[in-house]
Amino acid sequence: MILVLEKGITQDQKKNIRSILFSEGYIVREMSEAGQNIIGAVGEGGKETEFFEKLPGVARVIPISTSFKLVSRQMHTEDTTVQVGNVAVGGERITIIAGPCAIESRDQALKTAREVKRYGAVLFRGGAFKPRTSPYSFQGLQEEGLKILAEVRSVTGLGVVTEITSPAQADMMMKYVDVVQVGARNMQNFELLKCVGRIGKPVVLKRGLSSTIEEWLMSAEYILSEGNDNVILCERGIRTFEPYTRNTLDLSAIPVLKTLTHLPVIIDPSHATGIREKVSPMARAAIAAGADGLMIEVHHDPDHALSDGPQSLYPKQFGQLTRDLYVIAPVVGKQLDFDYLDKAKAVDHLSKTNGAGKQKVAFLGEIGTFSHKASTQYFGNQVTAVPTPSFKSIFESVKNGDVDFGVVPVENSLSGSIHENYDLLLEYDLRIVGEIKLRIIHHLVGHPEAKIDTIRRVFSPPIIFQQCRQFLDQHADWELMPVKDTAAAVKAISEKANSADVAIAGKEAAKIHGMAVIEEGIETNPRNFTRFVVIGSEPFEKGPKRKSSLIFSTGNQPGSLYEVLKIYSENGINLVKLESRPIHGKPWEYMFYVDLEADVESEAFKPILEMLKAKTDYLKILGSY
Ligand code: PEP
Ligand code: MN
């Protein structure tokens, strides 16, 4: 059952409730959900619901209707994220776990780990205790394999995942690995489930070959009931009558699980299909269907793998797949982050050198804006996001060192460039250290009782009215009320009991302020993306740099822009953006902003940079990222 606590509950009342629940034999979890304090209590106490309802400090009691309790969505309406070092599984990031089926040797593990890391995996997998169908197949290197995994972690920085097949391995798992996997064949090995519940490390719980979703969730319940909430569910195909694939991937388990449980859900398309060529299509589909991540078998030389070679991807194929996923993720509101570990390290490094606790990032507007979402998607929970009233004040805060980074939008795929930020990039001596693209979905947000035909006024920034033109044209009698940011608009309407006022905003803002979505997806074109740049005063030292941004001006003679562009062309450098802005105080003279696919600060680029300097009047490197 769920005990919703009164707003003004005292500490003593809470203590009393907890001790009564404990003495009645309940497992107790205290949580805060959407601004409400709740206590989840699971067990078979002898008392009726009314008894708990009458306890001082309890507002109401909601029974949990499903057989699984701790894992249920009723218990915890927000998504759980499982933290593995710097990696958060669940929430708005896509986590890619990759590596060979089995650890075969130090060389094989390290080679494969370097490849998968390079292509975007953030955790490394590899079996040391292999539950093979035949006793004559390779059984794994056992403790030797775990030692290799620990070495992979220290060399590459990737957290490591491996299967535990017996409670007797618990101490070794504690010593060598970051995540333990309970394999499909052991999903209902209850002693093993209790064991991984007690050791407390994050667990990947695979679905049994012939298990229902309910049985699977009951297995997860075993782990949580032992006090370990860090469970990641992994669908890996179930056994059906279909022989063309090794198993049948149950993709519908994703949306089913998403309503039943708060736990993150990942997909293993390798064991599901058993065939290399089928892995990538199913991986792409899984992300489109809302999975929080993937576990994929990759081997540096799959043709000589000791187990599951035919389903293991070649590193290059894995690289192709992550490129596709990088594009798909923002469409479903998530991010796949190639450089995440390096970024996290840079943040870590800064926090050490600054001596501060958490790092800070400034974004425009209030909590719940798209800029806020961009900040949290880029940095995860490594930093504190600081609401900031204007773009200029974001630049100022970064310059003064009040925050470590700023996140500012520079371009929208429908409404074009945000010129103010281009001008600020020129004016301030800061660097672009990263970029992130978000899909922007607008909703009409209002009081739950608001109806389309009673709406009179709509609040949002003018640029958003522009993006929702078609929808707004159908309601020409509505008064458009321009405001600075979407979240502030939702906040303002939530504070007045007037259902004739609504806002256009993202669903995060609606959720934060307890408002309802009255009409979903009202942007004219669904291909609505905004590109944000991350600004800082020093570059991240680590991480591959694929792109750079420059500003330049040329002399006002015929062919001078052509001369500059020719340098890019002759050196095979791809320009991905070219934009001109008037130079203040010099009518009809322009600055050019370019984004190019190269690291302009690398050694290799130096001669090209010299040529560019020779052909420009002004050249400023905004950054490589
Ligand atoms: C594995 O991940 O290597 C494995 C054996 O998976 P499953 O338990 O899903 O068969
Ligand atoms: Mn395998």
Side-chain angles (χ1 to χ4, degrees), residues 100-102 125 130 206 246 268 270-271 297 307-308 311:
C101 180
R125 63 147 287 150
K130 293 304 302 175
K206 288 205 155 184
R246 181 172 173 179
D268 168 354
S270 308
H271 294 89
E297 286 188 343
S307 88
D308 285 348
Q311 70 192 32

Side-chain angles (χ1 to χ4, degrees), residues 564-585:
V564 176
L565 296 183
K566 199 167 81 176
I567 300 173
Y568 295 119
S569 158
E570 284 175 353
N571 289 282
I573 292 160
N574 193 26
L575 299 191
V576 284
K577 178 169 170 114
L578 177 63
E579 164 112 18
S580 65
R581 291 285 303 141
I583 300 175
H584 291 290

